[in-house]
Amino acid sequence: MLNKLKKFNVFLVVLLIFSISLSGCSRSQNQQRTSNISKQNGQTVTVTDLVGRRVKIKLPVNKVVGIGPGALRLITYIDGVNRVSGVENIDKKLTDGRTYNMVFYNELDKLPVIGQGGPDSVPDAENLVQANPDVIFVASLLDKSKADELQAKTGIPVVVLSYGKLGTFDEDVYTSLNVIGKIMGKEDRAEKLVSQIKKIQEDLSYRTKEIPDDAKSTVYIGALGFKGGHGIESTQCNYPPFAAIHAKNVADTLKQNGSIVIEREKLLSWNPDILFVDEGNFDLVKQDYQKNPNFYKSLKAVKNNNVYGMLPYNQYTTNIETALVDSYWAGKVLYPEQFKDVDPEVKANEIYTLFFGDKGKNVYNEMKKFFGGFEKIKF
C-alpha cells in the first residue's frame, strides 16, 4: 500500500511539472505571436509604381480599393477581393464579359461606392476616405502629378498600375501584378500567376512559330469594341490572340497601332480566308448583313462558311484571361493540326480557374450562354 502511494505521489509531481512546462510553452508561443504581430504592424514596404513614384506603405495592408479601368481586376487576380473595402459604381452592375465582375459580383455589390468609375471619371476623394483603405490602386486615370495630388488629399498611399501599351500580354501587367502582390503579402500568388501566363504564351508560340507564312490562312477579326460597339469594319493591328499564335492577320499590313476602323472596300480587297467576329457586337453585324447581304456574300470566308465567333475580352480594359482563352480558340481554327490535342472549352476552364480559383470553373459556360462561345457563325 505504501509503495502504491509513493508511486502515485511521483506521478502527481511529474504531471505538475509537465503542466507547468506546457503553460510556459503556451505563454512563450503567445508572446512570440504577439511579438510577430507587433513587428509586422511596425513594418513598411516601399514600392516603385508604374509611373516611377516611390510609395511607402505601412503593413499589414488589410483594406484596398481599385479605381480606374482594370485596377480592381488586377486585385482580384491576386486573390485579393476579400480585402476590397469599396468599389466604383460601374461595378455595382452585373456585366457579362467583365469576368471579375461576373465571378465576384455578390461580394462587390455589398461594398460602398467610392466613385462613378469609367475611363474618363474623376476620383472621389471624399468617398475614398470614407472607405478607409490602406492603399488606393489606380489604373489609367492618373499621371504622376495627379497621383501625388490624390495621395496628399486623402492621406492614403496611391499606387499607379498599368496594362502597358499592348493592354494584354505586356511587361507592365506583370510588374503591376507583382507590385500588388508585394503590397498585399501575396508575392507567391503574383509570381505563380505571372509565371503561368508566360508559360501559356510560350506554349502558344511554340506550336505555331515554325509554320511558314505561305502555309498560313489569312485571317481578319471584325466588330471589335472600343469605347462602344462597332460593326465589321472595326478591327485591330497586332490583335493579341492572333499575334500570340503568329497568325497572318491581314490588318497587320496597315502597320498601325491599336484599334482602327477600315473602309469596307479594304476588307473586300483583303478577302481573308477566315473571318472572326467579336461576339460582343455580333448583333450589329447581323443587322448590317440584313441591309447589305451582297457585301458579305462577296467575302470568301462567308461563301466557304469559315466565319467564327470570338469571345469579347475588352470590357473596362482587358480581361487578360479571356484573351488567352481566345488565343487557343483561334489556334484551333487556324492550325487544327498544331492544336489537335487542345479542347478549347477544357482549356478555357483551366485558364479561368488559374485566374479565379474554383469560382472560375463556370465562367466559360456563362460567357457561352450570353455570347455564343466557340462556334461557327451563320448570318
Side-chain angles (χ1 to χ4, degrees), residues 243-276:
I245 56 172
H246 308 285
K248 199 171 182 179
N249 181 4
V250 292
D252 288 347
T253 60
L254 298 177
K255 300 186 184 304
Q256 297 183 34
N257 294 320
S259 298
I260 55 173
V261 176
I262 62 168
E263 298 292 333
R264 284 172 178 261
E265 290 71 22
K266 194 66 181 175
L267 182 54
L268 288 174
S269 68
W270 282 333
N271 203 14
D273 298 310
I274 294 174
L275 176 65
F276 283 90

Side-chain angles (χ1 to χ4, degrees), residues 124-136:
D124 189 322
E126 185 177 339
N127 282 347
L128 286 168
V129 170
Q130 287 181 358
N132 195 30
D134 300 309
V135 177
I136 298 169

Side-chain angles (χ1 to χ4, degrees), residues 77-79 186-193 354-356:
Y77 284 170
I78 301 301
D79 192 27
K186 291 181 175 286
E187 294 97 331
D188 289 348
R189 166 62 183 167
E191 288 171 8
K192 177 186 175 182
L193 183 58
L354 169 65
F355 279 79
F356 299 118

